[in-house]
Amino acid sequence: MNIKVQTLDRIGLLLVITISFTCGYWVIKDSLRKHGQIRQENEIVSKGLDQLRSTEHNFKNINALMSQTKKELEFLDKRIPKAVNIGEVLKEIDYAMKKRKISLISLQPMPSVEEKLYTKIPIKLMLKGSFVNIYNLLYDFEIMNRMLVAENMRISRSNLAEDCQAELTANVYQRE
């Protein structure tokens, strides 16, 4: 068996090239697999980051809403307290009536009515004054610190030269 050195060199070169291509194929295949895996992990992290941002935004919105709700609740606590300080309410009514130049004919507290979440205390007022001033007094009742709601009202006047006379039932509220 006589093999020439040149043939042996060609076989060796062919073997080296085949092994090099095979190893290169395995390196490239492994590199592409790892690159694909890294891309998938980056997508998962990106989606998680997007969800985290969305959750953080929702959390900020919820905190803002809770803060606003807390302020509204504090405002309602002032308007509808747990204990009725009827003297304070009567002082506010008196101040509003003096401001509007309305005369108080009579004031009569009525029996309280217990509801599910609150108790309402009706107050019957008889007033005398101009129609505009009585109307403005109702507005003052609506915006005063305590919730005072006019439930029933009757206005009458004998003739155009006289002031109006009004009978008004207003409710003051307290929480249970």
Side-chain angles (χ1 to χ4, degrees):
M1 212 158 117
N2 225 351
I3 298 180
K4 292 184 182 177
V5 174
Q6 199 176 22
T7 307
L8 198 56
D9 285 343
R10 285 182 185 161
I11 291 173
L13 185 59
L14 187 62
L15 188 63
V16 168
I17 290 173
T18 304
I19 291 172
S20 294
F21 277 127
T22 304
C23 288
Y25 172 74
W26 285 340
V27 168
I28 290 173
K29 182 180 173 184
D30 190 50
S31 174
L32 289 175
R33 184 184 57 81
K34 287 182 179 179
H35 184 67
Q37 195 175 25
I38 289 172
R39 190 177 336 113
Q40 284 178 345
E41 289 173 357
N42 283 341
E43 287 175 5
I44 291 170
V45 168
S46 177
K47 286 179 185 177
L49 188 59
D50 289 343
Q51 287 177 346
L52 182 63
R53 286 184 187 134
S54 175
T55 302
E56 184 179 10
H57 180 71
N58 289 342
F59 183 70
K60 286 179 182 179
N61 286 344
I62 288 171
N63 277 341
L65 185 63
M66 281 180 51
S67 176
Q68 180 182 356
T69 304
K70 186 176 180 181
K71 287 177 185 175
E72 289 174 2
L73 185 60
E74 288 172 356
F75 178 71
L76 280 175
D77 275 348
K78 288 179 184 176
R79 292 203 71 197
I80 307 173
K82 284 190 174 186
V84 171
N85 187 350
I86 201 74
E88 199 172 298
V89 174
L90 293 177
K91 282 181 188 178
E92 286 187 55
I93 291 173
D94 183 56
Y95 173 75
M97 288 175 57
K98 285 181 182 175
K99 179 176 141 186
R100 299 294 178 192
K101 298 176 184 168
I102 295 176
S103 304
L104 178 65
I105 297 172
S106 72
L107 182 139
Q108 181 181 19
M110 312 275 286
S112 61
V113 178
E114 291 190 24
E115 299 288 335
K116 194 172 191 177
L117 298 174
Y118 59 89
T119 301
K120 67 180 178 180
I121 303 164
I123 300 172
K124 188 172 184 178
L125 301 165
M126 288 189 75
L127 316 166
K128 191 168 189 170
S130 72
F131 179 82
V132 171
N133 287 343
I134 292 173
Y135 174 81
N136 288 329
L137 178 69
L138 289 175
Y139 177 73
D140 291 343
F141 287 170
E142 195 173 303
I143 63 170
M144 66 190 279
N145 290 337
R146 288 294 305 268
M147 185 171 282
L148 184 72
V149 178
E151 184 177 89
N152 190 359
M153 183 171 183
R154 188 176 66 197
I155 298 177
S156 60
R157 181 187 330 189
S158 302
N159 60 45
L160 293 174
E162 292 183 15
D163 282 338
C164 293
Q165 185 170 339
E167 279 186 43
L168 167 71
T169 303
N171 295 318
V172 178
Y173 294 90
Q174 84 175 20
R175 287 183 293 130
E176 293 296 320

